[in-house]
């Protein structure tokens, strides 16, 4: 083949390749544009305002009200305080909550710098380090699922045992970042395989409206407060039970995805102001008008529904005063 024929052949091949590449590029661009315009645009509707942000560092302990919080995949965080990252356990590692020890709701766990501050009625404040790497790691059980926790020490154990006044010994454990979380789907099959929590019952975030609490109070002899129901995010400027229909929410830079309603148990009958359990109200009243649809009985059984459980679709910061937007497509 002569030099002239070779040049013509190379040029011809390159032209074909260029046409093929160009055609593929146009096809990809066309598909991208088609996807963009075929995909339903998001509809954003303001549905309320954040009135409270509550972190419960100690499972079953007092809530810590904060002006803003970081919303991580495993729940709310403010400084060293992370939602349900401390847990009271028995000597053999089984969880202890306000269901068994109602006076736990009066125990306050807060942080100052790198120190944990433990307070309770008629007890001296106890301080200890957040990080205690030389303490043993304890194997624990939370709702039948295995999880670990760093033991917080003998002095803390004596404080809790003395406060709860029981014959058995209690210990405090702390969930650390390197530990393996529980998978939410182990407790509730409606959650995806990827969702994980430390010591919450099942979900990283629980949301409730002020109007729903007010609606319940109107049916009771004595008013109840949101603290009794232990939500993380409290919403105002909406109607009672509006939150039941908010499937996806934008709050600040955070995107939340509703998974299911929160089925309520005997713990709602513990008064957060006194630590006394009455085992009747407001649970009985909730059962009178907040039971699930018969088609969902396999999920919720006879538990009344109050509040909504969410996972964190997009992490970020949320704060009191943020507008709450419902996202639909």
């Amino acid at each position: 083949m002569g030099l002239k024929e070779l040049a013509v052949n190379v040029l011809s091949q390159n032209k074909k390749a260029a046409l093929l590449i160009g055609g593929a590029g146009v096809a990809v661009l066309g598909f991208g544009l088609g996807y963009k315009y075929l995909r339903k645009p998001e509809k954003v509707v303001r549905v309320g305002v954040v009135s409270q942000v509550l972190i419960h560092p100690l499972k079953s302990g007092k809530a810590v009200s904060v002006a803003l919080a970081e919303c991580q995949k495993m729940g709310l965080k403010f400084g060293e305080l992370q939602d349900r990252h401390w847990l009271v356990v028995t000597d053999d590692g089984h969880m202890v909550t306000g269901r068994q020890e109602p006076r736990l709701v009066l125990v306050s766990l807060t942080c100052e710098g790198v120190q944990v501050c433990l307070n309770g009625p008629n007890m001296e404040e106890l301080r200890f380090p957040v990080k205690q790497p030389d303490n043993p790691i304890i194997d624990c059980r939370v709702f039948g699922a295995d999880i670990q926790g760093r033991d917080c020490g003998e002095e803390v154990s004596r404080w809790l045992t003395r406060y709860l006044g029981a014959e058995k010994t209690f210990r405090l454990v702390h969930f650390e970042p390197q530990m393996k979380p529980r998978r939410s789907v182990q407790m509730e099959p409606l959650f995806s395989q990827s969702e994980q929590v430390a010591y919450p019952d099942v979900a990283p975030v629980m949301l409730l409206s002020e109007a729903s609490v007010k609606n319940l109070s109107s049916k009771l002899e004595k008013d109840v407060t949101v603290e009794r129901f232990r939500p993380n995010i409290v919403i105002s400027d909406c109607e009672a039970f509006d939150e039941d229909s908010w499937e996806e929410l934008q709050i600040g830079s955070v995107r939340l995805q509703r998974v299911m309603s929160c089925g309520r148990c005997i713990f709602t009958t513990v008064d957060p102001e006194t630590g006394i359990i009455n085992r009747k109200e407001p649970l009985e009243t909730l059962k009178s008008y907040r039971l699930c649809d018969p088609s969902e009985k396999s999920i919720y059984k006879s538990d009344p529904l109050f509040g909504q459980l969410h996972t964190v679709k997009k992490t970020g910061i949320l704060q009191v005063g943020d507008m709450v937007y419902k996202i639909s497509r």
Side-chain angles (χ1 to χ4, degrees), residues 57 77-82 85-86 111 113-115 130-131 174:
K77 182 178 188 291
F78 179 78
E80 293 290 347
L81 293 178
Q82 288 184 265
H85 269 53
W86 279 266
C111 287
V114 294
Q115 292 279 306
V130 173
K131 295 177 182 176
H174 179 213

Side-chain angles (χ1 to χ4, degrees), residues 72-300:
Q72 301 183 333
K73 280 288 186 180
M74 286 173 55
L76 300 189
K77 182 178 188 291
F78 179 78
E80 293 290 347
L81 293 178
Q82 288 184 265
D83 194 68
R84 276 93 171 181
H85 269 53
W86 279 266
L87 173 72
V88 176
V89 294
T90 57
D91 247 352
D92 59 0
H94 282 82
M95 73 168 184
V96 177
T97 72
R99 299 166 182 86
Q100 301 88 33
E101 297 290 340
R103 291 179 70 243
L104 261 183
V105 301
L106 304 179
V107 175
S108 164
L109 188 153
T110 57
C111 287
E112 287 186 17
V114 294
Q115 292 279 306
V116 178
C117 308
L118 205 57
N119 282 281
N122 304 314
M123 297 291 290
E124 281 190 26
E125 180 179 80
L126 179 64
R127 294 190 173 217
F128 57 94
V130 173
K131 295 177 182 176
Q132 301 184 78
D134 296 332
N135 285 7
I137 292 175
I138 296 176
D139 292 322
C140 307
R141 296 281 286 175
V142 176
F143 290 111
D146 293 328
I147 192 168
Q148 292 181 321
R150 177 81 65 182
D151 185 62
C152 292
E154 293 301 328
E155 195 176 3
V156 178
S157 174
R158 287 193 293 271
W159 191 99
L160 283 169
T161 302
R162 189 163 65 251
Y163 171 72
L164 293 172
E167 292 179 5
K168 51 189 162 185
T169 301
F170 296 100
R171 308 197 72 84
L172 184 68
V173 296
H174 179 213
F175 184 85
E176 297 176 341
Q178 78 279 8
M179 294 174 178
K180 186 180 177 182
R182 291 153 56 238
R183 290 192 303 133
S184 298
V185 73
Q186 290 179 282
M187 285 71 73
E188 289 291 349
L190 290 177
F191 284 81
S192 72
Q193 293 284 342
S194 62
E195 296 301 333
Q196 297 178 318
V197 290
Y199 304 136
D201 286 9
V202 64
V205 174
M206 204 273 276
L207 182 147
L208 182 63
S209 74
E210 289 180 356
S212 297
V213 178
K214 190 175 180 181
N215 177 279
L216 173 60
S217 286
S218 71
K219 302 175 188 297
L220 298 167
E221 288 183 12
K222 184 183 177 184
D223 287 354
V224 289
T225 61
V226 292
E227 285 78 14
R228 184 179 288 251
F229 305 99
R230 312 183 68 76
N232 298 113
I233 304 170
V234 183
I235 309 298
S236 63
D237 201 21
C238 65
E239 297 298 318
F241 309 114
D242 275 358
E243 64 267 33
D244 296 2
S245 64
W246 300 340
E247 293 301 318
E248 192 173 340
L249 294 174
Q250 181 80 33
I251 307 174
S253 58
V254 175
R255 186 68 67 100
L256 300 176
Q257 180 69 54
R258 178 187 173 275
V259 178
M260 62 188 296
S261 297
C262 185
R264 294 302 180 164
C265 69
I266 197 76
F267 196 11
T268 58
T269 69
V270 177
D271 188 330
E273 298 299 319
T274 64
I276 295 171
I277 187 168
N278 68 57
R279 299 190 176 277
K280 186 177 179 184
E281 292 295 359
L283 191 60
E284 291 302 315
T285 298
L286 279 172
K287 284 181 178 180
S288 72
Y289 79 116
R290 286 293 295 170
L291 293 178
C292 69
D293 185 272
S295 64
E296 297 180 312
K297 203 151 178 92
S298 61
I299 302 169
Y300 301 110

